Amino acid sequence: MHHHHEPVHWFETIFGSIVFLLLIAIYIVGVMISNKKYSQWPLYRIVLWSLGIICIVISLVGPIAEKAHNSFQSHMMTHLLLGMLGPLLLVFSAPITLLLRCLKVQHARIVSRILKSKYVEIVSHPIIATVLNMGGIWVLYVTPLYNAMHSSILLYSLIHFHVFLAGYVFTASMISFDPSPHRYSFIYRSIVLVLAMASHSILSKWIYANPPQGIDKFDAEMGGIIMYYGGDFIDLIIVIVLCAQYFRRTQMGIRKNLQYL
């Protein structure tokens, strides 16, 4: 399979890595500011943020990202890192909570107003988030878009940005550790999550049986397998966390009721 995509030069790799190192540094500075005003920020969240950023770096620059232009298996690895595992780790690190703890009251209120806005309510709705996330990758793999993105750096960048953002919003709509003014019930989110998981599994099987245009059959089959099992593993983590959050809230509710008896 031959794509007309220029290789990522060492300068771009170094520049990209510096940008992502800055994101880790900004988070750590945020933690230092937060710790002066509030209780200690958990160390594991710094680790999760750093790992999430590393997943995104690996998916965009370096050998796997480079190989993804010609290997569908490598492309699928970057898809899992950029659209599923990276966003999951960043959601775990509660970046909005940290931001609110760092800001002055008047600025924190602006962020709160944005979180409560109609736009955020619509985009973060579990069904809308699922359509943006799953719909996006269905369009990518069942239309000529996959082939087209390797011929345009702008299209390639936009699609990767969408994959990450849609992955983050979807994950946050299911298991947010940040303030969520528009939180939906456990049952509602569970049903949507099961449908999203089914959609992801069906798409991976579709890719296995119907390789995207220009993809070698064996390469497509291996990519489909990576997507199926890798996606299931990450989805399983989301399911476990969603159930754990539900049971924790239920226990807290029971304790509160017992106090009034």
Side-chain angles (χ1 to χ4, degrees):
M1 178 179 167
H2 302 287
H3 290 308
H4 309 293
H5 200 293
E6 288 186 23
V8 178
H9 300 297
W10 63 267
F11 173 76
E12 290 173 40
T13 305
I14 291 169
F15 179 75
S17 302
I18 288 168
V19 169
F20 290 111
L21 281 171
L22 275 173
L23 288 171
I24 295 172
I26 289 165
Y27 189 92
I28 291 167
V29 169
V31 169
M32 290 161 71
I33 294 166
S34 169
N35 286 349
K36 287 178 184 175
K37 296 193 277 185
Y38 302 96
S39 57
Q40 287 289 108
W41 189 257
L43 178 63
Y44 73 86
R45 282 195 172 152
I46 301 171
V47 174
L48 290 169
W49 174 266
S50 303
L51 289 173
I53 295 296
I54 289 165
C55 283
I56 295 160
V57 173
I58 292 168
S59 71
L60 296 177
V61 295
I64 297 175
E66 188 71 24
K67 210 176 167 190
H69 297 304
N70 299 302
S71 162
F72 191 70
Q73 295 169 61
S74 297
H75 163 79
M76 200 48 77
M77 286 178 196
T78 65
H79 157 78
L80 291 174
L81 290 169
L82 183 67
M84 295 187 78
L85 186 57
L88 177 65
L89 293 166
L90 297 187
V91 166
F92 279 156
S93 66
I96 307 296
T97 302
L98 181 62
L99 177 66
L100 290 169
R101 283 171 57 142
C102 292
L103 294 173
K104 291 179 180 175
V105 175
Q106 63 267 36
H107 297 139
R109 280 180 185 151
I110 293 166
V111 174
S112 295
R113 274 202 297 275
I114 293 166
L115 291 173
K116 290 173 185 173
S117 69
K118 195 72 186 169
Y119 173 76
V120 172
E121 182 183 356
I122 292 166
V123 172
S124 65
H125 186 286
I127 291 174
I128 303 294
T130 300
V131 169
L132 288 170
N133 189 30
M134 290 311 308
I137 59 170
W138 269 92
V139 169
L140 179 62
Y141 297 123
V142 302
T143 71
L145 189 61
Y146 175 77
N147 231 29
M149 81 169 179
H150 288 282
S151 304
S152 165
I153 291 171
L154 178 63
L155 188 60
Y156 188 87
S157 304
L158 286 172
I159 288 169
H160 279 66
F161 182 67
H162 172 84
V163 166
F164 165 71
L165 209 57
Y168 183 89
V169 172
F170 168 76
T171 308
S173 75
M174 295 295 152
I175 53 160
S176 185
F177 291 84
D178 282 318
S180 302
H182 314 291
R183 177 64 60 85
Y184 288 81
S185 72
F186 169 75
I187 297 294
Y188 191 89
R189 284 178 288 147
S190 299
I191 292 166
V192 177
L193 179 58
V194 168
L195 292 172
M197 288 167 65
S199 175
H200 200 264
S201 295
I202 292 164
L203 179 57
S204 61
K205 289 172 185 173
W206 171 270
I207 289 166
Y208 186 93
N210 304 276
Q213 187 186 348
I215 305 290
D216 174 71
K217 190 174 186 297
F218 176 75
D219 201 16
E221 286 174 355
M222 292 308 294
I225 290 168
I226 291 165
M227 183 181 181
Y228 184 84
Y229 289 105
D232 270 4
F233 174 73
I234 297 163
D235 283 335
L236 180 63
I237 297 170
I238 296 174
V239 169
I240 292 166
V241 173
L242 181 60
C243 293
Q245 287 181 337
Y246 171 72
F247 288 122
R248 191 178 168 196
R249 287 198 182 97
T250 306
Q251 282 182 325
M252 284 167 71
I254 291 166
R255 281 188 199 131
K256 277 184 184 176
N257 289 335
L258 287 171
Q259 283 175 355
Y260 295 114
L261 292 175

